[in-house]
Each structure stands twice: as C-alpha cells, then as structure tokens.
Amino acid sequence: MEKNIDNDFSLTPVSREGRRGLISMMAIMLGFTFYTGTMLTGGRLGTSLTFGDLALVLLVGDFILGAYTALLAYMAGKTGLSTHLLARYAFGEKGSYLVSGILGLTQVGWFGVSVVMLALPISKVFGLDVTPVILVCGALMVTTAYFGVKSLTILSIIAVPAIAILGCYSSSISIAEVGGIGALMSATDVSSMSLTLALSLVVGSFISGGTLTPDFARFSRTPRIAVVSTVAAFFIGNILMFAFGAIGGLAAGMPDISDVMIAQGLVISGIIILGLNIWTTNDNTIYAASLAFSNITKMPKKHWVLINGFLSTVFAMVLYNHFISLLSFLSSIIPPLGAVMIMDYFFLNRKAYAGAFSEAKFAVVNVPAVLAVVAGGIFGHLPAGIGCLNAVFGAMLTYGIFTEIKVWLVRRREERAAARLRKIA
C-alpha cells in the first residue's frame, strides 16, 4: 500500500526537492506582507505625521521588522523547520504546544474576522445578504490554503501585481486631487503624533504575523534566499501598503484604500484590491494555524485547514463582534515567542540544531522559555518605550537569565548528589 506523502512537511523538515528559488519565495512573502491592517495604519500615520517624519518612521520600523523576521527566516532556511517544530528546541516537546496553541487560536480568530472584513463591503456594495457572502469568501480562501504552498505561490503571483497596480493607480488619482506631490508632502505641517507612538504602530502592525515567518521561509532553497526574500518583502510590501494608506488618508480622509477607490468611483477595483489583499494574508493565516494544530495533534495540515476554515467561517460574525479584544491580547504575547526562539538558536543552544531533526532529543517542557514569554509580555506593557520591542528584548534577556539559573541549579543538585555519594562511600 502506497504511503501518503505530506507535501506540506507538517511534522518534518522540508526536503531538498521541496525547496524553492528566490522568485517563488518573493511571491509568497510579498503576498504575506500585503496586509489590509497595514494600509489602515498607514492612513492614520499619513494624517498625523509630516512627510519627513513619516518616511523616517517607515524606514526605521521596517528595518526593525526586517531584522526580526530575517533572523527567524534564516533559522527556517537553515533547518527547513516550521515555527512550531523550531519551538520544540527552545520550549520542549510539550512546551511547543503552548506556542502552537497561542499562534493557532490567534490565526484562526483573525481568519474569521478578516472574512467578515471582506464580506461586509461586498454585501453593502452589491446589496447582498452578508451570510452567504461570508460562506463563499471563507470557502474560497480555505480551498487555496488546502492545496498548500503551490496554491499560495500561484495566488500571490496573481494578487501581488494586481494590488500594486491598482494601488498605484488610485494613489495617482489621490495625488492629482490634492495638487501634486509637493502639495501632498506639505499636507501635514506639524506632526500631531509622537515618533515613539508612530514607530510602535509600524512595528506592532506586523510583528505578530512576522513571528510566523518560518512557516513559509522554510521552503527557501538556501538561508540566503530565505533572508533576502523576507527582508525585501517587508521593505517593498510593507512600505507600499503604508504608502497606499497614507496617500489615501491624506487625500480623502479615509485610511482604507478600498474605501478611497470606491469614493473615486472605482468600485470594482476597490473590491478587487480589498479581496486580494485579505485573501493572500488569510491564506497564510489559516495555513499557519493548521501547522500549529498539526504539531499538537500530529494530524496532517490539510485536515486542519478544513476544520479551522469551517469553524472560523461559520463563527466569523461572532468572532468579528466579540473576540477582537481577546485576539489583540493573544497577539501581544506572540513576539516573545519568536524572541525566545531567536535567543535559543543564535546564543544559547546553536549546536542542538545541527543534527538531524528526527534524532533530536527534546525536553518535555523547558520552564525558562515559558517564564521568559510571561516576562516578555510584562515588559511589553511597560509605559515607556516601544511595547513590542520591550517584549522582544525583555523575553530574550530573561530567557538568558533563567537559563543560567537553571544550569546553576542543576549543577548544584549534581554536586550535592555527588557529595552524598562520597559520604556513603
């Protein structure tokens, strides 16, 4: 009997045959970073900052995001492992279930919320009942996610240029309406938002999603391709999304480019750009969520795509109306998860990753890693600084400290045991 092949490598490293080149990975990662929430943030920044401050914040913020995701991408490109399998090294076999549970629940929730974000304007524009629109949108997104990375690549190759072209066309209309580039650059005379808050919004807009970078970067043929495609996607994709939102916000007072395009009379284009934007991100979302639950249950990813997609689509309106605050809270503790994995790989436990994954020995639960995530969450809510960066560096620092304490305690226990044996002898 022929054994089923897991082409998504849910519980194993990606094989050499499954690895992809730069063009394919660029398409996947650009589709990942083309995110509606980024445009909304761009609209808010565009109406609150001078052009110079906006440019500075975007460059610095995307540099931070690029550095964080590049480290995770390198780990994935080197090992071929997903976020959840990498987590076994830092958190332990059962400890990785905590990582998978938090990431999985968050991504399933956001999938449902995003489906409603697409269904509501479609139903409003075309006068349709929202329920069947939700079901159709959810089914389409689940279908492409079901077929894995190949479908994600094809969708991204179609969606990324379409979003870029339509966004640029709409932005050109907005620029003309305000009187040209010069008028746009001087539209906001004084920044009404602090640079610290603006930087927090830029970094915070995607650092949680960026923690899932290994789920996609692991398909890169080399670590260099993983890093280049990830960093380029954040500097191209993220800055484009922020720019579209900022230009639309300045010209029309609307942060969402789909609303701007509809106001410009580009109704179909507005629906298309919103649909493709949410579709590419949501496919990555449900794909990552399904990898998370596959790590916990050992069921194939494809089964979890269907289960997660069905549940989040059926309960999409409930999620949209009631769970935003819960999902936001869960998202706030995600950056420390990635921070702990980065600290473990690059500073504390590098040699453990060199061997074959199938032969690796994992702790059941690595307590210092779990405590570091809690500490990172506390650091992230400090009143000073940039919340998500506080969480990342707080988690890294405390993980290093807790690990040293654990090593010292183990050494002390061994010394006491040896001393007792000498007394007995």
Side-chain angles (χ1 to χ4, degrees):
M1 186 175 179
E2 189 175 349
K3 189 175 180 180
N4 290 329
I5 299 174
D6 179 13
N7 292 319
D8 290 299
F9 306 95
S10 309
L11 300 171
T12 59
V14 177
S15 68
R16 280 290 146 197
E17 295 75 19
R19 300 296 187 103
R20 294 166 176 267
L22 181 61
I23 302 300
S24 177
M25 291 309 303
M26 278 289 293
I28 293 172
M29 297 310 296
L30 278 169
F32 186 38
T33 57
F34 273 37
Y35 173 50
T36 303
T38 305
M39 289 195 296
L40 295 173
T41 304
R44 182 178 174 187
L45 295 175
T47 55
S48 304
L49 299 173
T50 63
F51 183 82
D53 285 347
L54 176 63
L56 175 64
V57 165
L58 290 184
L59 287 174
V60 174
D62 276 318
F63 175 80
I64 294 169
L65 280 173
Y68 176 75
T69 54
L71 292 173
L72 292 169
Y74 180 88
M75 294 163 60
K78 189 73 172 177
T79 63
L81 298 174
S82 68
T83 308
H84 315 284
L85 299 187
L86 283 169
R88 294 188 187 183
Y89 289 93
F91 290 87
E93 174 78 27
K94 305 297 183 185
S96 72
Y97 296 174
L98 170 68
V99 178
S100 296
I102 293 172
L103 291 173
L105 287 172
T106 306
Q107 299 310 302
V108 167
W110 282 121
F111 180 90
V113 169
S114 298
V115 168
V116 177
M117 288 172 63
L118 175 59
L120 285 176
I122 291 176
S123 64
K124 181 180 179 180
V125 169
F126 295 104
L128 302 172
D129 181 58
V130 72
T131 300
V133 178
I134 288 174
L135 295 176
V136 170
C137 291
L140 288 172
M141 294 173 188
V142 168
T143 299
T144 47
Y146 178 83
F147 290 105
V149 169
K150 287 185 178 179
S151 290
L152 297 183
T153 306
I154 294 170
L155 178 63
S156 296
I157 288 172
I158 296 170
V160 166
I163 295 170
I165 291 168
L166 291 172
C168 288
Y169 179 61
S170 174
S171 295
S172 67
I173 295 174
S174 296
I175 291 171
E177 288 176 349
V178 298
I181 294 289
L184 182 74
M185 292 174 65
S186 60
T188 304
D189 297 327
V190 180
S191 294
S192 59
M193 179 186 293
S194 70
L195 293 183
T196 301
L197 175 57
L199 192 58
S200 297
L201 290 174
V202 172
V203 178
S205 67
F206 212 85
I207 194 167
S208 292
T211 305
L212 293 164
T213 296
D215 289 350
F216 312 102
R218 65 196 174 114
F219 286 94
S220 301
R221 192 168 292 142
T222 65
R224 177 179 293 180
I225 290 175
V227 171
V228 170
S229 61
T230 298
V231 173
F234 273 92
F235 272 92
I236 297 172
N238 239 31
I239 287 180
L240 268 181
M241 292 298 100
F242 277 120
F244 292 159
I247 292 170
L250 282 171
M254 301 176 184
D256 191 334
I257 191 174
S258 61
D259 290 337
V260 173
M261 294 178 80
I262 291 171
Q264 291 170 340
L266 306 172
V267 177
I268 300 301
S269 298
I271 294 297
I272 289 173
I273 196 172
L274 177 65
L276 290 176
N277 209 322
I278 290 178
W279 194 342
T280 54
T281 302
N282 246 15
D283 257 21
N284 289 289
T285 293
I286 204 69
Y287 179 90
S290 300
L291 286 176
F293 291 115
S294 181
N295 178 51
I296 296 172
T297 65
K298 309 303 183 278
M299 283 172 54
K301 183 228 74 175
K302 286 186 175 182
H303 295 174
W304 275 110
V305 167
L306 296 177
I307 295 169
N308 290 333
F310 174 79
L311 291 175
S312 55
T313 300
V314 169
F315 295 102
M317 192 58 77
V318 176
L319 291 167
Y320 185 81
N321 289 330
H322 299 288
F323 289 153
I324 293 291
S325 57
L326 174 60
L327 292 171
S328 298
F329 168 74
L330 289 174
S331 296
S332 71
I333 61 175
I334 288 176
L337 301 177
V340 166
M341 289 190 286
I342 288 171
M343 188 70 178
D344 192 74
Y345 182 88
F346 288 101
F347 299 101
L348 297 178
N349 199 27
R350 184 69 175 267
K351 291 182 180 178
Y353 295 79
F357 177 75
S358 59
E359 298 173 3
K361 304 296 181 184
F362 304 109
V364 178
V365 176
N366 186 21
V367 176
V370 176
L371 293 177
V373 170
V374 175
I378 294 171
F379 275 98
H381 287 86
L382 292 177
I386 299 171
C388 50
L389 289 185
N390 290 345
V392 167
F393 289 116
M396 292 178 71
L397 175 64
T398 51
Y399 182 46
I401 293 172
F402 292 151
T403 298
E404 287 300 313
I405 292 173
K406 179 182 177 181
V407 169
W408 180 80
L409 290 174
V410 169
R411 188 182 300 123
R412 288 285 294 166
R413 187 164 59 246
E414 290 174 348
E415 289 173 353
R416 288 172 182 171
R420 284 196 296 269
L421 287 174
R422 286 194 296 269
K423 286 182 180 180
I424 294 172

